[in-house]
Amino acid sequence: MFHLYYGNDLRGLARVLGERLGDADADRLLTPAVVLIPQTGMRRWLEIELAEQRGVVANVDFKLPGEFVADVLRAANPALPERSGFDRDVLRWRLLPLLAEIAAEPLGAPVAHYLGGDGAALKRLQLARELAAAFERYQAYRRPLLAAWENDAEPHDWQAELWRRLVRASAEPSRAQLLGDYLRRYDRAATPPGLPPRVSVFGCLNVSPDVLRLLGVVARHVEVDAYLPTPCREYWGDQRDLRERLRAGESPLAEPDQPLLASLGRVGREFFEQVFSYEEIQPASETLVVREPSRATLLGRIQADVLELRCAHAEPGSVAADDSLRVHRCDSPLREVQVLRDRLLARFERDATLRPRD
């Protein structure tokens, strides 16, 4: 089953996670709890938060979503090598000779033009590095495109031809091929091997649609708990900024959507649009975990408006001056960091209860 916990209270979500981890059956107490986190900074914060709530945190296996996907694909395909030839760090070295090869052919004229002149070797290395990063993203987000390329689509595209040569020269399938096979094989009846009793997904808002589909498939066989921070209690997958509404043919005079969510929350909005479309996952339960913001400050009022999906219009002079929200105009990225450092140090000196992890 897939259990969905969402809301604006990150500590509340961590509390629910701690309670769920503490409910493990006696026969699996020695089995590590698998918790997916978006990056290592979140792991450190979560370890401290769980330890303070529960007294101790132990036997928890924190993984990035990509690491978990690699583990389940390897469990389903035991013959796979420990290091894939389609990983970014390996891929760039495989691309290096292929770029020289394709640049000598009529198809690779754009590559030859880019590499021409002095510094061709350095340019080829840089291009291989960028293409390796692009192909890694394609495997996560553009699986249908890669499948079409492998079936000889776009025969005059040098990038598509590069991918075909990579696949033909490889003794193993790409991650995109493995993931597609996994989703087809285990979508309904068969039980995937190597799954833990429960998978907890904490704060992962940047996973690809394919990873979300994989979690939906896994949830048909084991428990999957997803803890998703969101600033709004309502569905906000349909929020659009002015440019998007104009492209859709809507009147610029129509009532605007919540401006902060529409203009600054595009990545989160697209993710929640996927989650609450119920196409990739079908939650057995949905639990809202909310902390009501105090409206005593400007920042609190903005947070409350976002939470309720309100588009507030303040009258002149109706907002009291406070420093809960600040905008600094800086002339360079270095100056931005310097100002941020100075403001943080000032906060620590002013408030003895404030800690760096806050």
Side-chain angles (χ1 to χ4, degrees):
M1 291 186 177
F2 196 104
H3 303 282
L4 182 61
Y5 302 88
Y6 65 99
N8 68 337
D9 186 359
L10 195 63
R11 283 196 167 93
L13 291 172
R15 184 180 63 254
V16 177
L17 170 63
E19 293 169 355
R20 293 282 287 169
L21 293 180
D23 290 340
D25 296 332
D27 59 352
R28 67 186 196 196
L29 286 177
L30 299 181
T31 303
V34 175
V35 178
L36 308 190
I37 39 97
Q39 29 82 8
T40 53
M42 176 65 80
R43 169 182 177 166
R44 181 62 177 160
W45 178 87
L46 197 52
E47 284 178 323
I48 295 173
E49 194 68 26
L50 290 175
E52 288 188 347
Q53 291 178 8
R54 310 293 297 180
V56 65
V57 56
N59 207 26
V60 179
D61 189 5
F62 291 96
K63 295 178 181 289
L64 299 174
E67 294 172 339
F68 175 74
V69 171
D71 287 347
V72 297
L73 293 180
R74 188 170 288 110
N77 303 272
L80 288 178
E82 190 64 29
R83 187 69 183 271
S84 172
F86 288 91
D87 288 347
R88 182 189 305 194
D89 291 341
V90 179
L91 204 53
R92 61 177 174 177
W93 299 112
R94 296 182 60 204
L95 282 166
L96 201 60
L98 288 179
L99 284 172
E101 179 184 301
I102 206 167
E105 303 173 12
L107 178 67
V111 179
H113 177 74
Y114 174 77
L115 298 179
D118 296 336
L122 179 59
K123 285 184 176 180
R124 185 155 54 95
L125 180 60
Q126 292 171 335
L127 183 58
R129 183 182 62 199
E130 294 301 320
L131 280 171
F135 282 154
E136 187 177 65
R137 290 193 295 269
Y138 289 171
Q139 291 181 83
Y141 289 90
R142 304 292 298 277
R143 184 166 53 88
L145 173 67
L146 295 182
W149 283 356
E150 291 162 21
N151 290 321
D152 297 323
E154 301 184 49
H156 304 297
D157 185 285
W158 63 268
Q159 209 177 152
E161 179 60 24
L162 266 180
W163 178 256
R164 282 190 284 269
R165 295 185 188 189
L166 282 169
V167 171
R168 286 197 296 264
S170 181
E172 60 175 304
S174 69
R175 170 176 159 160
Q177 293 170 322
L178 290 169
L179 194 49
D181 179 62
Y182 191 95
L183 294 175
R184 287 189 296 271
R185 196 190 320 174
Y186 300 114
D187 187 36
R188 294 301 171 196
T191 301
L195 293 180
R198 177 187 291 161
V199 179
S200 301
V201 186
F202 194 91
C204 297
L205 301 181
N206 58 343
V207 298
S208 70
D210 274 347
V211 173
L212 193 61
R213 292 185 190 105
L214 182 139
L215 290 172
V217 169
V218 168
R220 297 193 180 105
H221 307 280
V222 300
E223 286 187 285
V224 175
D225 295 346
Y227 304 87
L228 305 179
T230 171
C232 182
R233 75 163 86 232
E234 308 293 339
Y235 172 73
W236 56 285
D238 54 358
Q239 297 293 297
R240 299 291 183 268
D241 61 22
L242 179 60
R243 178 178 296 179
E244 291 171 312
R245 290 192 286 110
L246 289 177
R247 284 177 178 171
E250 298 180 21
S251 169
L253 303 179
E255 183 67 23
D257 291 330
Q258 216 295 325
L260 283 178
L261 289 178
S263 61
L264 301 179
R266 185 167 186 172
V267 173
R269 174 238 296 175
E270 291 176 351
F271 178 78
F272 277 94
E273 189 174 13
Q274 292 175 37
V275 169
F276 288 103
S277 69
Y278 302 114
E279 294 178 1
E280 317 300 347
I281 59 170
Q282 292 79 40
S285 64
E286 297 181 18
T287 305
L288 185 63
V289 183
V290 170
R291 174 185 53 81
E292 297 290 344
S294 168
R295 298 185 65 87
T297 64
L298 174 59
L299 179 60
R301 286 192 287 275
I302 292 175
Q303 290 172 329
D305 289 338
V306 170
L307 179 65
E308 302 296 342
L309 204 58
R310 284 195 299 260
C311 187
H313 302 278
E315 296 296 328
S318 64
V319 178
D322 63 54
D323 64 351
S324 62
L325 181 66
R326 284 175 169 266
V327 178
H328 293 271
R329 180 179 178 181
C330 304
D331 56 9
S332 70
L334 174 60
R335 184 60 184 151
E336 290 178 4
V337 176
Q338 290 171 338
V339 171
L340 176 59
R341 176 182 179 274
D342 291 344
R343 297 306 307 164
L344 288 174
L345 289 177
R347 288 291 301 274
F348 287 129
E349 291 174 0
R350 190 167 70 242
D351 185 353
T353 66
L354 194 64
R355 291 170 290 180
R357 71 184 184 91
D358 292 328

